[in-house]
Amino acid sequence: LPQEDPVLKEAKRINYKCPVMVDQITRMDSATVVLPDSIFQFCYTLVDQQMGSIDLLGLRGYLTPKLILYAQDHASMNIQRKHRLTLSFLYRDKNGEFVMDIILEPEEYIRKEIPNPDSSK
């Protein structure tokens, strides 16, 4: 991808703001474009959580629908939707230990266009 690529530009724009707290326990550390698969990866740290004390199933169950809604509707995700990127939300604990990676394929977060029966071509 050339340096002016809108996807790479978006990752750069996000990284310029990082690290940034997104809620009381979650810090966004960076965004990366993983080639050649065109995965847009967001890296987060759970700032006061330690791997051994995290309910992984509960956390995944809580976060996944929220991340899908965010990816579907949030204006800041326009580029990811437009380019039909696979999204990766990678979480680490306060010690930097890997917690989990939530992967969203475009089919999971891009809303289907409902054809308008009135629009005749």
Side-chain angles (χ1 to χ4, degrees):
L1 293 168
Q3 200 50 43
E4 304 77 46
D5 182 273
V7 174
L8 291 177
K9 247 170 115 169
E10 179 63 10
K12 249 187 176 164
R13 186 188 70 75
I14 292 169
N15 285 324
Y16 186 74
K17 297 177 177 179
C18 287
V20 62
M21 293 300 292
V22 292
D23 60 34
Q24 288 183 322
I25 65 158
T26 315
R27 182 183 70 218
M28 184 192 296
D29 298 315
S30 65
T32 313
V33 181
V34 183
L35 300 172
D37 307 322
S38 296
I39 297 171
F40 201 95
Q41 184 173 69
F42 298 90
C43 297
Y44 296 96
T45 298
L46 301 169
V47 295
D48 62 356
Q49 303 287 307
Q50 207 162 338
M51 184 54 190
S53 63
I54 298 172
D55 170 7
L56 293 177
L57 240 53
L59 186 62
R60 183 179 294 275
Y62 171 78
L63 285 173
T64 302
K66 289 188 173 316
L67 293 171
I68 290 171
L69 281 173
Y70 185 81
Q72 282 176 334
D73 297 328
H74 208 272
S76 69
M77 299 295 284
N78 281 340
I79 287 181
Q80 290 85 347
R81 286 191 298 268
K82 180 180 174 192
H83 292 274
R84 300 188 57 80
L85 300 173
T86 297
L87 304 179
S88 162
F89 299 90
L90 188 132
Y91 290 85
R92 297 185 187 283
D93 73 1
K94 67 180 185 180
N95 302 317
E97 194 177 331
F98 175 82
V99 172
M100 71 176 155
D101 193 4
I102 296 175
I103 308 281
L104 298 180
E105 297 297 334
E107 304 75 45
E108 295 177 85
Y109 73 89
I110 295 176
R111 292 188 189 278
K112 308 276 180 279
E113 290 297 318
I114 299 164
N116 185 347
D118 299 334
S119 65
S120 50
K121 296 199 159 95

